[in-house]
Amino acid sequence: MKYYIIAGEASGDLHGSNLMKALKHKDPHAEFRFWGGDLMQKQGGTLVKHYRDLAFMGFLEVAMNLRTILNNIKFCKEDIKNNRPDVLVLVDYPGFNLRIAKFAKELGIKVVYYISPQLWAWKEGRVETIKKYVDEMMVILPFEKDFYLKHGVKSHFVGHPLLDAISKLEEINVDQFKAQNHLNEKEIIALLPGSRKQEVEKMLEMMLSVRPHFQNYQFVIAGAPSLDKDFYQKYVDENVHFVSNKTYDLLRCSKAALVTSGTATLETALLNIPEVVCYRGSKISYAIAKRLVKNIKYISLVNLIMDREVVKELIQNDLNTQNLVAELNLILNGEKREQMLHDFDLLREKLGGSGASDNAANVILKLG
């Protein structure tokens, strides 16, 4: 079969690459054309556009880049029309992908959505678009199946693909990792400031403001594959280090982490690293989001899945040095740390075992 896959962010690139691997195993003659990143490119096929050219954050940023976004949509439609895949696989990224779903369906192409947009949080009306233009919806969070059923949409709960990625990791030697990355002997506090330039700049300054309070630790920034190493150099010194494309290894060697809200909050929890979740958007974007998002008590996937506060979320004005220091102290040692690690065990149980990529591939192949 000919597969056309669209992933617009770093997490989509990871999940898309694992899905491609599973599809190749079951369909040895698979042909791939895709929008994604380096991980998907390693699986072979044709990279049409890299996600670094697609990721715009917040309402203001989207408005400022609207012409680019519309040009990308136009280009994508033409590319699909010219290449006529057997199946279109959409990975999250709803603002872009739902437009492409409608176009592809009207061309008679089978449409699969892998990793549902978070419609349960906002823009619930988009369910009608999915009902019309998506042949198979695959969800990765347990409560999403009930959400779609309520709207008359049959979906497949395939499990969470992060469990696949994490289950395949080899054991890591902490001392060896430190030596290979020119780190000192101090315990590590990992900083995961996001993957978009404007986001990273905003978050790193705040995260690094806690340094004077934790002089017995070293801080290590997880570099995003979409950003050049040079971009991070202004933050690096004798006790602030940087590693690129090694986020999972860094986390596994860390005592705790400060994490910008997003998929990384769940990755950190599944790797069993206590964390503080951080988020600060522009005032206008945040004000708009608060009006649009309904009935959602949390912003981190960890808390949403568990339906209670497992990890502390510091949002907007609550994200300040004083609060960061207090919360970080609580998870470095003591009762709060032990409780969080126990809750992470329960989280893994709730998400089920590995196998999401294989399960998703089976659903897709039935369309052939």
Side-chain angles (χ1 to χ4, degrees):
M1 288 171 67
K2 290 169 64 178
Y3 305 89
Y4 199 106
I5 306 174
I6 304 175
E9 298 174 308
S11 59
D13 180 38
L14 171 66
H15 303 324
S17 69
N18 284 326
L19 177 61
M20 289 167 72
K21 189 174 182 180
L23 284 167
K24 284 195 300 183
H25 180 71
K26 298 170 187 292
D27 179 6
H29 301 293
E31 294 179 28
F32 296 105
R33 192 170 179 86
F34 55 91
W35 296 45
D38 300 342
L39 295 174
M40 292 174 74
Q41 198 164 18
K42 284 178 185 175
Q43 292 301 323
T46 302
L47 174 65
V48 181
K49 270 191 185 287
H50 200 288
Y51 68 77
R52 72 168 69 94
D53 301 321
L54 307 174
F56 300 105
M57 175 193 171
F59 298 97
L60 279 180
E61 294 80 4
V62 168
M64 289 166 60
N65 291 281
L66 191 56
R67 180 176 291 181
T68 301
I69 294 167
L70 292 174
N71 284 339
N72 281 336
I73 290 170
K74 182 180 178 182
F75 176 79
C76 185
K77 288 178 177 180
E78 286 298 315
D79 197 52
I80 289 171
K81 190 175 180 179
N82 292 334
N83 288 278
R84 291 281 175 163
D86 296 303
V87 60
L88 171 68
V89 182
L90 307 171
V91 185
D92 199 357
Y93 198 51
F96 188 96
N97 275 339
L98 286 176
R99 293 191 185 203
I100 303 303
K102 180 177 186 292
F103 176 79
K105 185 68 175 174
E106 288 171 350
L107 286 179
I109 296 168
K110 295 289 186 182
V111 179
V112 174
Y113 218 120
Y114 177 48
I115 304 182
S116 166
Q118 295 177 354
L119 304 185
W120 35 267
W122 69 311
K123 294 195 175 181
E124 194 168 330
R126 283 176 164 174
V127 173
E128 293 305 313
T129 304
I130 285 169
K131 195 182 289 188
K132 284 182 187 176
Y133 305 117
V134 173
D135 294 290
E136 297 287 357
M137 168 58 74
M138 293 182 282
V139 300
I140 62 172
L141 300 174
F143 59 81
E144 290 179 324
K145 191 172 175 68
D146 290 335
F147 168 81
Y148 278 106
L149 198 58
K150 181 181 76 174
H151 289 279
V153 177
K154 182 187 173 187
S155 64
H156 306 267
F157 173 60
V158 294
H160 205 292
L162 282 180
L163 291 168
D164 286 355
I166 287 167
S167 69
K168 293 169 186 170
L169 295 174
E170 296 178 1
E171 279 192 41
I172 191 164
N173 182 298
V174 176
D175 292 333
Q176 193 174 43
F177 177 82
K178 287 179 177 178
Q180 288 172 344
N181 292 281
H182 312 292
L183 307 179
N184 59 47
E185 72 286 350
K186 293 179 180 178
E187 288 189 297
I188 296 169
I189 295 174
L191 306 180
L192 279 65
S195 59
R196 303 174 181 94
K197 188 175 181 179
Q198 62 208 17
E199 178 181 51
V200 172
E201 288 176 329
K202 190 179 298 179
M203 300 307 300
L204 267 183
E205 184 178 349
M206 177 52 64
M207 290 175 172
L208 287 170
S209 72
V210 307
R211 287 179 60 198
H213 302 270
F214 299 95
Q215 294 184 14
N216 293 329
Y217 294 86
Q218 60 183 318
F219 292 83
V220 185
I221 302 165
S226 55
L227 298 174
D228 293 331
K229 185 177 179 180
D230 291 345
F231 167 77
Y232 293 94
Q233 288 310 305
K234 60 187 173 185
Y235 302 103
V236 172
D237 60 29
E238 71 282 352
N239 209 36
V240 178
H241 307 279
F242 161 82
V243 298
S244 185
N245 296 323
K246 298 176 184 176
T247 301
Y248 283 7
D249 288 349
L250 168 62
L251 283 169
R252 291 190 293 157
C253 294
S254 299
K255 184 77 181 283
L258 303 180
V259 186
T260 297
S261 179
T263 306
T265 63
L266 183 57
E267 291 172 309
T268 303
L270 293 177
L271 288 167
N272 224 33
I273 307 302
E275 63 181 305
V276 181
V277 176
C278 310
Y279 178 79
R280 181 181 286 168
S282 72
K283 288 181 180 179
I284 295 175
S285 289
Y286 183 70
I288 295 171
K290 276 200 78 172
R291 291 174 68 92
L292 293 174
V293 174
K294 54 182 180 177
N295 303 322
I296 298 296
K297 293 181 284 187
Y298 307 108
I299 64 167
S300 71
L301 284 170
V302 177
N303 293 343
L304 283 165
I305 294 165
M306 296 297 287
D307 197 27
R308 59 185 172 89
E309 186 183 87
V310 170
V311 295
K312 185 66 177 180
E313 300 177 352
L314 296 178
I315 306 169
Q316 291 302 98
N317 294 334
D318 288 337
L319 179 59
N320 56 54
T321 305
Q322 182 180 354
N323 287 343
L324 269 179
V325 170
E327 293 300 328
L328 193 48
N329 271 318
L330 286 172
I331 64 169
L332 284 169
N333 296 288
E335 188 179 325
K336 176 85 180 271
R337 177 183 179 85
E338 293 308 311
Q339 181 61 51
M340 192 176 289
L341 291 172
H342 173 69
D343 286 338
F344 288 170
D345 288 338
L346 300 178
L347 172 71
R348 281 188 289 273
E349 285 179 25
K350 201 160 190 177
L351 287 173
S354 58
S357 303
D358 274 344
N359 293 338
N362 288 333
V363 172
I364 294 168
L365 285 165
K366 286 178 182 175
L367 294 172

